[in-house]
């Protein structure tokens, strides 16, 4: 953390530009290295390749000593009062350690190095801990236990171990020991790693935020509240699994729905989804709550989906729209709440939509309407007024094949998938995956393992200016696309979105046959934009 503070003080009161990967540009890396006494090679791909510099950078950003925003880095709010009191100091230290672990983790799971570090510390904390050369087997076994507890793939958690040493060498975890020693969690005694008091403290906190199994004895309300702390649905499911398994499905559903009736919208949404996991086993409980004030609209919608009741009316649809917007206000703030209101409520303008919100009789309707109206009047940028200019390129083609397209900033990755299908003329008959940083997203209805819901993340949240994400269509042939956010523009109310504004190259033939080769069809901009405009006019 000392180096993290030094790095923040080197930035000082000024600011320096950062790359799309949110690190210093090459021109500034040598000076940053000099500030920390770190040698920087003459030829450099990215600052992230220099561990001795990247680790304090990650720690500084996580602890609030540095702030990265809109393509620049400045000193963060935590620097002025550093060092803080012991509680805040430990919180900043833990945030820094977790950030470094996430940065060095296996791409598909940002918790993998955190679990590996926790396994090593757990072994070192035991009496008669083995010397460095004998650590591999007990750490291997401790990691298996942790993966079972937190519902993680063992192979992914083990994957990064090779970066810290060779399993067949005398010290297979030497690099991991160095990482933890840099944070003061481990000390070397004549070449033998030993856990420090700080290391013992962090054993109880390093796993914070990962979903271990809930105590089956928890009341339903407490279980829901704990599950709601996890933003990831898979983690929520893992947390609740043991609690649910300890009860008959109908009884579990009754307890959850009864508790959810008086909860906040965010917690109620989590509760309802946990009951939905029970499938048709929960239907008797849904029938019992069909007339409840807050859970009732959910119950009627679920029963209709199971062909066990009539289709909900417009009033239920509006009520559920308010519920989703109120949950978003609690979870992500007024801009996302405004986006939800704009998408789900009827009306020609915001005033009409807010009147529709109030007319639902939802217990949070007035508070939601006030918060959204205040945000809209504040002059702060509104996502519903913005469009993202994206360049979508097919990788591996020379000459290059790309399309430049404008999409609403509030479009989801699921929406973007459909846009890309039109841009390149794909027929949509194959699986696809987006990769955003270290996470993957796809269609939730195909249940691809280790992927999140592409409808739950917006383009606005998936990308930063100048940053890229990837999209792979047809997981057999693997048509790979690189998507770059070039800039964000103000929405023109006279135009329809999405719209393709530039292109290069014709799309390749999707089903190439050497015996019956086909010529690529010329890219037709007008026809593509006609089809894109039709997408924009489809109801949300």
């Amino acid at each position: 953390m000392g180096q993290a503070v030094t790095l923040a003080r080197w930035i000082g009161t000024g600011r320096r530009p950062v790359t799309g990967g949110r690190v210093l540009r090459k021109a500034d890396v040598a000076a940053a290295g000099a500030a920390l006494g770190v040698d920087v090679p003459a030829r450099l791909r990215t600052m992230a390749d220099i561990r001795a510099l990247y680790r304090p950078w990650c720690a500084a950003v996580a602890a609030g000593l540095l702030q990265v925003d809109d393509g620049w880095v400045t000193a963060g709010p935590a620097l002025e009062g550093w060092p803080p009191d012991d509680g805040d100091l430990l919180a900043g230290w833990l945030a820094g350690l977790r950030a470094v672990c996430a940065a060095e983790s296996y791409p598909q799971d940002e918790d993998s190095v955190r679990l590996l570090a926790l396994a090593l510390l757990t072994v070192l904390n035991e009496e008669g801990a083995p010397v460095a050369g004998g650590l591999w087997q007990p750490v291997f076994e401790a990691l298996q236990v942790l993966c079972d507890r937190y519902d993680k793939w063992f192979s992914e958690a083990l994957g990064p171990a090779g970066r810290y040493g060779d399993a067949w060498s005398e010290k297979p975890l030497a690099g991991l020991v160095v990482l933890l020693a840099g944070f003061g969690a481990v000390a070397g005694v004549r070449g033998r790693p030993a856990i420090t008091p700080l290391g013992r403290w962090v054993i109880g906190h390093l796993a914070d935020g990962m979903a271990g199994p809930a105590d089956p004895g928890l009341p339903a309300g407490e279980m829901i509240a704990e599950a709601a702390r996890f933003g990831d649905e898979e983690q929520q499911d893992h947390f609740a699994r043991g609690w649910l398994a300890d009860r008959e499905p109908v009884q579990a559903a009754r307890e959850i729905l009864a508790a959810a009736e008086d909860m906040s919208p965010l917690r109620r949404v989590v509760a309802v989804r946990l009951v939905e996991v029970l499938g048709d086993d929960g239907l008797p409980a849904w029938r019992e709550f069909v007339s409840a004030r807050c859970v009732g609209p959910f119950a009627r919608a679920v029963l209709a989906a199971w062909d066990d009741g009539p289709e909900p009316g417009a009033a239920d649809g509006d009520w559920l729209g308010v519920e989703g917007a109120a949950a978003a206000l609690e979870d992500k703030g007024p801009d996302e709440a405004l986006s939800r209101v704009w998408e789900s409520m009827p009306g020609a303008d915001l005033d009409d939509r807010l009147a529709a919100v109030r007319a639902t009789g939802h217990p949070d309707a007035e508070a939601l309407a006030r918060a959204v109206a205040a945000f809209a009047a504040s002059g702060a940028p509104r996502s519903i007024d913005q469009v993202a200019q994206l360049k979508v390129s097919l990788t591996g083609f020379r000459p290059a094949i790309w399309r430049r397209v404008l999409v609403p900033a509030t479009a989801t990755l699921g929406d973007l998938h459909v846009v890309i299908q039109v841009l390149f003329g794909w027929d949509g008959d194959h699986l696809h995956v987006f990769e955003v940083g270290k996470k993957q997203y796809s269609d939730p209805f195909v249940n691809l393992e280790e992927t999140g819901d592409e409808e739950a993340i917006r383009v606005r949240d998936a990308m930063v200016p100048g940053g890229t994400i990837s999209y792979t269509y047809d997981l057999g042939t693997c048509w790979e696309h690189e998507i770059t956010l070039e800039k964000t523009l103000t929405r023109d109310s006279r135009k329809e979105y999405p719209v393709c504004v530039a292109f290069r190259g014709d799309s390749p033939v999707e089903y190439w046959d050497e015996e019956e080769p086909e010529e690529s069809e010329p890219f037709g901009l007008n026809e593509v934009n006609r089809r894109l405009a039709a997408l924009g006019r489809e109801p949300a």
Side-chain angles (χ1 to χ4, degrees):
M1 290 304 294
Q3 287 186 312
V5 173
T6 300
L7 197 56
R9 287 178 175 155
W10 171 74
I11 294 291
T13 57
R15 66 175 188 168
R16 293 179 185 266
V18 296
T19 67
R22 296 169 64 85
V23 296
L24 289 171
R25 295 188 177 182
K26 293 180 183 179
D28 289 322
V29 173
L36 296 186
V38 173
D39 291 333
V40 174
R43 299 186 66 180
L44 177 69
R45 187 181 68 90
T46 170
M47 171 187 159
D49 291 339
I50 307 173
R51 275 186 176 178
L53 193 53
Y54 189 47
R55 283 176 176 174
W57 173 271
C58 292
V61 172
L65 295 163
L66 288 176
Q67 186 166 300
V68 178
D69 195 26
D70 293 330
W72 297 90
V73 60
T74 59
L79 181 62
E80 185 177 350
W82 198 269
D85 60 39
D86 289 347
D88 289 340
L89 183 61
L90 279 172
W93 177 89
L94 180 60
L97 175 58
R98 290 176 59 172
V100 171
C101 288
E104 298 186 9
S105 287
Y106 192 69
Q108 276 69 46
D109 192 338
E110 65 179 14
D111 294 324
S112 53
V113 170
R114 185 156 49 130
L115 287 166
L116 195 58
L118 185 55
L120 175 58
L121 290 171
T122 299
V123 169
L124 292 178
N125 194 42
E126 296 172 353
E127 284 191 28
V131 298
L135 283 173
W136 179 249
Q137 186 60 34
V139 169
F140 185 92
E141 293 169 358
L143 185 62
Q144 288 179 310
V145 172
L146 290 170
C147 288
D148 287 342
R149 181 182 304 165
Y150 296 111
D151 197 30
K152 298 290 186 178
W153 287 94
F154 178 68
S155 58
E156 290 184 0
L158 188 64
R163 303 174 193 172
Y164 301 113
D166 183 349
W168 307 108
S169 69
E170 183 180 349
K171 297 180 180 179
L173 295 170
L176 187 61
V177 171
V178 169
L179 187 159
L180 293 171
F183 277 88
V186 169
V189 180
R190 295 181 181 177
R192 299 184 179 188
I195 193 167
T196 65
L198 193 56
R200 290 191 177 90
W201 176 84
V202 81
I203 286 175
H205 298 276
L206 195 54
D208 288 353
M210 288 192 287
D215 178 355
L218 281 177
E222 292 183 25
M223 186 277 292
I224 296 166
E226 288 294 306
R229 293 192 302 110
F230 304 105
D232 181 88
E233 291 184 358
E234 286 189 7
Q235 288 186 309
Q236 292 173 0
D237 291 348
H238 176 64
F239 176 80
R241 189 174 301 150
W243 191 96
L244 294 171
D246 193 60
R247 294 159 171 79
E248 290 296 323
V250 171
Q251 183 57 34
R254 286 193 187 106
E255 291 182 39
I256 292 173
L257 294 177
E261 178 66 18
D262 297 318
M263 287 187 148
S264 71
L266 179 60
R267 291 182 177 181
R268 187 159 48 242
V269 167
V270 171
V272 164
R273 203 191 60 76
L274 290 176
V275 176
E276 288 179 320
V277 169
L278 298 172
D280 58 357
D281 287 338
L283 290 180
W286 286 118
R287 296 187 196 105
E288 294 171 16
F289 284 86
V290 75
S291 298
R293 182 188 183 194
C294 293
V295 173
F298 286 105
R300 293 190 287 273
V302 168
L303 291 171
W306 283 95
D307 293 326
D308 197 10
E311 286 295 319
D316 276 347
D318 289 350
W319 196 97
L320 291 172
V322 172
E323 179 88 338
L329 178 65
E330 185 179 354
D331 186 29
K332 296 182 178 179
D335 185 39
E336 177 61 18
L338 169 59
S339 299
R340 297 287 188 96
V341 167
W342 194 263
E343 292 168 344
S344 64
M345 304 306 295
D349 55 24
L350 183 57
D351 286 343
D352 286 350
R353 286 172 165 87
L354 293 181
V357 166
R358 292 185 171 96
T360 62
H362 191 289
D364 292 274
E366 185 58 38
L368 171 66
R370 284 199 306 267
V372 168
F375 173 73
S378 70
R382 310 188 315 180
S383 292
I384 61 171
D385 299 328
Q386 299 170 350
V387 292
Q389 178 174 301
L390 306 176
K391 183 178 181 181
V392 186
S393 306
L394 264 175
T395 60
F397 281 84
R398 292 293 181 271
I401 301 174
W402 55 262
R403 316 282 184 250
R404 180 168 288 119
V405 63
L406 304 181
V407 302
T410 54
T412 67
L413 291 185
D415 297 330
L416 183 55
H417 156 67
V418 179
V419 168
I420 294 173
Q421 294 289 299
V422 174
L423 290 175
F424 290 91
W426 306 132
D427 68 10
D429 285 342
H430 302 282
L431 300 176
H432 65 275
V433 171
F434 287 94
E435 188 163 316
V436 180
K438 296 181 178 180
K439 296 185 177 180
Q440 294 184 321
Y441 298 88
S442 191
D443 184 339
F445 292 104
V446 300
N447 294 319
L448 276 181
E449 290 184 351
E450 300 297 300
T451 60
D453 181 357
E454 65 186 9
E455 297 296 347
I457 180 170
R458 300 186 188 272
V459 168
R460 172 199 67 198
D461 302 318
M463 306 189 70
V464 296
T468 63
I469 63 175
S470 69
Y471 168 83
T472 303
Y473 168 66
D474 186 345
L475 303 188
T477 304
C478 290
W479 298 103
E480 295 185 356
H481 309 65
E482 181 181 81
I483 306 166
T484 303
L485 174 57
E486 295 184 320
K487 56 185 173 181
T488 300
L489 305 168
T490 300
R491 186 173 190 140
D492 186 339
S493 60
R494 298 166 298 178
K495 292 184 177 180
E496 291 187 297
Y497 300 96
V499 58
C500 182
V501 295
F503 69 96
R504 180 176 179 181
D506 298 327
S507 301
V509 176
E510 183 170 352
Y511 300 105
W512 176 257
D513 187 339
E514 291 185 359
E515 296 182 359
E516 299 181 16
E518 300 177 50
E519 292 292 330
S520 299
E521 291 188 15
F523 183 82
L525 183 61
N526 290 336
E527 173 60 18
V528 164
N529 277 333
R530 184 191 67 77
R531 294 177 63 195
L532 291 176
L535 295 179
R537 290 191 292 267
E538 289 180 0

